[in-house]
PDB file of all heavy atoms in Angstrom:
ATOM      1  N   GLN A 224     -69.419 -43.612 -38.277  1.00 98.00           N
ATOM      2  CA  GLN A 224     -70.416 -44.643 -38.553  1.00 98.00           C
ATOM      3  C   GLN A 224     -70.809 -45.392 -37.282  1.00 98.00           C
ATOM      4  O   GLN A 224     -71.967 -45.719 -37.074  1.00 98.00           O
ATOM      5  CB  GLN A 224     -69.845 -45.618 -39.587  1.00 98.00           C
ATOM      6  CG  GLN A 224     -70.930 -46.391 -40.297  1.00 98.00           C
ATOM      7  CD  GLN A 224     -70.480 -47.805 -40.600  1.00 98.00           C
ATOM      8  OE1 GLN A 224     -69.288 -48.114 -40.627  1.00 98.00           O
ATOM      9  NE2 GLN A 224     -71.439 -48.670 -40.829  1.00 98.00           N
ATOM     10  N   PHE A 225     -69.843 -45.603 -36.405  1.00 97.00           N
ATOM     11  CA  PHE A 225     -70.133 -46.297 -35.147  1.00 97.00           C
ATOM     12  C   PHE A 225     -70.885 -45.371 -34.189  1.00 97.00           C
ATOM     13  O   PHE A 225     -71.433 -45.817 -33.178  1.00 97.00           O
ATOM     14  CB  PHE A 225     -68.829 -46.803 -34.502  1.00 97.00           C
ATOM     15  CG  PHE A 225     -69.043 -47.940 -33.557  1.00 97.00           C
ATOM     16  CD1 PHE A 225     -69.064 -49.242 -34.014  1.00 97.00           C
ATOM     17  CD2 PHE A 225     -69.278 -47.703 -32.210  1.00 97.00           C
ATOM     18  CE1 PHE A 225     -69.309 -50.293 -33.147  1.00 97.00           C
ATOM     19  CE2 PHE A 225     -69.524 -48.756 -31.335  1.00 97.00           C
ATOM     20  CZ  PHE A 225     -69.541 -50.048 -31.812  1.00 97.00           C
ATOM     21  N   ASP A 226     -70.897 -44.088 -34.513  1.00 97.00           N
ATOM     22  CA  ASP A 226     -71.612 -43.087 -33.720  1.00 97.00           C
ATOM     23  C   ASP A 226     -71.095 -43.053 -32.273  1.00 97.00           C
ATOM     24  O   ASP A 226     -71.872 -43.076 -31.313  1.00 97.00           O
ATOM     25  CB  ASP A 226     -73.131 -43.401 -33.743  1.00 97.00           C
ATOM     26  CG  ASP A 226     -73.945 -42.175 -33.331  1.00 97.00           C
ATOM     27  OD1 ASP A 226     -73.472 -41.047 -33.545  1.00 97.00           O
ATOM     28  OD2 ASP A 226     -75.045 -42.360 -32.762  1.00 97.00           O
ATOM     29  N   ILE A 227     -69.765 -42.980 -32.153  1.00 98.00           N
ATOM     30  CA  ILE A 227     -69.144 -42.967 -30.823  1.00 98.00           C
ATOM     31  C   ILE A 227     -69.524 -41.708 -30.045  1.00 98.00           C
ATOM     32  O   ILE A 227     -69.894 -40.684 -30.627  1.00 98.00           O
ATOM     33  CB  ILE A 227     -67.603 -43.054 -30.919  1.00 98.00           C
ATOM     34  CG1 ILE A 227     -67.050 -41.913 -31.788  1.00 98.00           C
ATOM     35  CG2 ILE A 227     -67.173 -44.401 -31.456  1.00 98.00           C
ATOM     36  CD1 ILE A 227     -65.553 -41.731 -31.657  1.00 98.00           C
ATOM     37  N   ASP A 228     -69.390 -41.783 -28.725  1.00 98.00           N
ATOM     38  CA  ASP A 228     -69.670 -40.635 -27.865  1.00 98.00           C
ATOM     39  C   ASP A 228     -68.395 -39.903 -27.482  1.00 98.00           C
ATOM     40  O   ASP A 228     -68.435 -38.744 -27.058  1.00 98.00           O
ATOM     41  CB  ASP A 228     -70.358 -41.120 -26.570  1.00 98.00           C
ATOM     42  CG  ASP A 228     -71.603 -41.912 -26.885  1.00 98.00           C
ATOM     43  OD1 ASP A 228     -72.520 -41.328 -27.481  1.00 98.00           O
ATOM     44  OD2 ASP A 228     -71.641 -43.126 -26.571  1.00 98.00           O
ATOM     45  N   MET A 229     -67.272 -40.602 -27.570  1.00 98.00           N
ATOM     46  CA  MET A 229     -66.013 -39.981 -27.159  1.00 98.00           C
ATOM     47  C   MET A 229     -64.832 -40.660 -27.863  1.00 98.00           C
ATOM     48  O   MET A 229     -64.970 -41.779 -28.366  1.00 98.00           O
ATOM     49  CB  MET A 229     -65.855 -40.049 -25.639  1.00 98.00           C
ATOM     50  CG  MET A 229     -66.147 -41.429 -25.087  1.00 98.00           C
ATOM     51  SD  MET A 229     -66.358 -41.419 -23.324  1.00 98.00           S
ATOM     52  CE  MET A 229     -65.607 -42.991 -22.931  1.00 98.00           C
ATOM     53  N   CYS A 230     -63.725 -39.959 -27.880  1.00 98.00           N
ATOM     54  CA  CYS A 230     -62.562 -40.491 -28.604  1.00 98.00           C
ATOM     55  C   CYS A 230     -61.268 -40.147 -27.866  1.00 98.00           C
ATOM     56  O   CYS A 230     -61.109 -39.031 -27.360  1.00 98.00           O
ATOM     57  CB  CYS A 230     -62.519 -39.897 -30.014  1.00 98.00           C
ATOM     58  SG  CYS A 230     -61.045 -40.378 -30.941  1.00 98.00           S
ATOM     59  N   GLY A 231     -60.387 -41.133 -27.814  1.00 98.00           N
ATOM     60  CA  GLY A 231     -59.029 -40.887 -27.334  1.00 98.00           C
ATOM     61  C   GLY A 231     -58.082 -41.419 -28.389  1.00 98.00           C
ATOM     62  O   GLY A 231     -57.992 -42.631 -28.578  1.00 98.00           O
ATOM     63  N   MET A 232     -57.433 -40.533 -29.115  1.00 98.00           N
ATOM     64  CA  MET A 232     -56.482 -41.009 -30.143  1.00 98.00           C
ATOM     65  C   MET A 232     -55.220 -40.160 -30.057  1.00 98.00           C
ATOM     66  O   MET A 232     -55.245 -39.021 -29.615  1.00 98.00           O
ATOM     67  CB  MET A 232     -57.102 -40.946 -31.541  1.00 98.00           C
ATOM     68  CG  MET A 232     -57.523 -39.584 -32.008  1.00 98.00           C
ATOM     69  SD  MET A 232     -58.241 -39.675 -33.671  1.00 98.00           S
ATOM     70  CE  MET A 232     -59.022 -38.051 -33.769  1.00 98.00           C
ATOM     71  N   GLY A 233     -54.120 -40.744 -30.451  1.00 97.00           N
ATOM     72  CA  GLY A 233     -52.863 -40.002 -30.372  1.00 97.00           C
ATOM     73  C   GLY A 233     -51.795 -40.697 -31.179  1.00 97.00           C
ATOM     74  O   GLY A 233     -52.017 -41.763 -31.759  1.00 97.00           O
ATOM     75  N   PRO A 234     -50.614 -40.068 -31.199  1.00 98.00           N
ATOM     76  CA  PRO A 234     -49.534 -40.623 -32.015  1.00 98.00           C
ATOM     77  C   PRO A 234     -49.040 -41.969 -31.510  1.00 98.00           C
ATOM     78  O   PRO A 234     -49.017 -42.210 -30.305  1.00 98.00           O
ATOM     79  CB  PRO A 234     -48.423 -39.571 -31.870  1.00 98.00           C
ATOM     80  CG  PRO A 234     -48.738 -38.829 -30.619  1.00 98.00           C
ATOM     81  CD  PRO A 234     -50.222 -38.860 -30.467  1.00 98.00           C
ATOM     82  N   TYR A 235     -48.662 -42.828 -32.441  1.00 98.00           N
ATOM     83  CA  TYR A 235     -47.919 -44.043 -32.089  1.00 98.00           C
ATOM     84  C   TYR A 235     -46.490 -43.616 -31.790  1.00 98.00           C
ATOM     85  O   TYR A 235     -45.889 -42.842 -32.543  1.00 98.00           O
ATOM     86  CB  TYR A 235     -47.940 -45.042 -33.255  1.00 98.00           C
ATOM     87  CG  TYR A 235     -46.854 -46.083 -33.125  1.00 98.00           C
ATOM     88  CD1 TYR A 235     -46.912 -47.040 -32.124  1.00 98.00           C
ATOM     89  CD2 TYR A 235     -45.749 -46.083 -33.982  1.00 98.00           C
ATOM     90  CE1 TYR A 235     -45.900 -47.976 -31.969  1.00 98.00           C
ATOM     91  CE2 TYR A 235     -44.735 -47.019 -33.840  1.00 98.00           C
ATOM     92  CZ  TYR A 235     -44.813 -47.956 -32.827  1.00 98.00           C
ATOM     93  OH  TYR A 235     -43.811 -48.869 -32.675  1.00 98.00           O
ATOM     94  N   ILE A 236     -45.974 -44.101 -30.676  1.00 97.00           N
ATOM     95  CA  ILE A 236     -44.579 -43.821 -30.326  1.00 97.00           C
ATOM     96  C   ILE A 236     -43.903 -45.162 -30.035  1.00 97.00           C
ATOM     97  O   ILE A 236     -44.411 -45.952 -29.223  1.00 97.00           O
ATOM     98  CB  ILE A 236     -44.486 -42.893 -29.088  1.00 97.00           C
ATOM     99  CG1 ILE A 236     -45.215 -41.576 -29.385  1.00 97.00           C
ATOM    100  CG2 ILE A 236     -43.029 -42.625 -28.711  1.00 97.00           C
ATOM    101  CD1 ILE A 236     -45.295 -40.617 -28.227  1.00 97.00           C
ATOM    102  N   GLU A 237     -42.790 -45.412 -30.682  1.00 96.00           N
ATOM    103  CA  GLU A 237     -42.162 -46.728 -30.545  1.00 96.00           C
ATOM    104  C   GLU A 237     -41.660 -46.961 -29.113  1.00 96.00           C
ATOM    105  O   GLU A 237     -41.322 -46.023 -28.409  1.00 96.00           O
ATOM    106  CB  GLU A 237     -41.021 -46.899 -31.559  1.00 96.00           C
ATOM    107  CG  GLU A 237     -39.927 -45.866 -31.500  1.00 96.00           C
ATOM    108  CD  GLU A 237     -40.232 -44.592 -32.309  1.00 96.00           C
ATOM    109  OE1 GLU A 237     -41.411 -44.241 -32.461  1.00 96.00           O
ATOM    110  OE2 GLU A 237     -39.276 -43.952 -32.750  1.00 96.00           O
ATOM    111  N   HIS A 238     -41.626 -48.216 -28.735  1.00 97.00           N
ATOM    112  CA  HIS A 238     -41.074 -48.631 -27.439  1.00 97.00           C
ATOM    113  C   HIS A 238     -39.923 -49.583 -27.730  1.00 97.00           C
ATOM    114  O   HIS A 238     -40.070 -50.536 -28.502  1.00 97.00           O
ATOM    115  CB  HIS A 238     -42.158 -49.312 -26.596  1.00 97.00           C
ATOM    116  CG  HIS A 238     -41.705 -49.699 -25.218  1.00 97.00           C
ATOM    117  ND1 HIS A 238     -40.738 -50.671 -24.994  1.00 97.00           N
ATOM    118  CD2 HIS A 238     -42.067 -49.256 -23.989  1.00 97.00           C
ATOM    119  CE1 HIS A 238     -40.537 -50.790 -23.690  1.00 97.00           C
ATOM    120  NE2 HIS A 238     -41.330 -49.945 -23.057  1.00 97.00           N
ATOM    121  N   THR A 239     -38.799 -49.336 -27.086  1.00 97.00           N
ATOM    122  CA  THR A 239     -37.574 -50.085 -27.376  1.00 97.00           C
ATOM    123  C   THR A 239     -37.747 -51.606 -27.295  1.00 97.00           C
ATOM    124  O   THR A 239     -37.193 -52.328 -28.121  1.00 97.00           O
ATOM    125  CB  THR A 239     -36.471 -49.662 -26.368  1.00 97.00           C
ATOM    126  OG1 THR A 239     -36.578 -48.253 -26.173  1.00 97.00           O
ATOM    127  CG2 THR A 239     -35.091 -50.015 -26.866  1.00 97.00           C
TER     128      THR A 239
END
Side-chain angles (χ1 to χ4, degrees):
Q224 201 215 340
F225 203 87
D226 198 28
I227 56 166
D228 304 298
M229 48 194 216
C230 175
M232 60 180 166
Y235 162 69
I236 301 175
E237 57 275 29
H238 183 294
T239 320

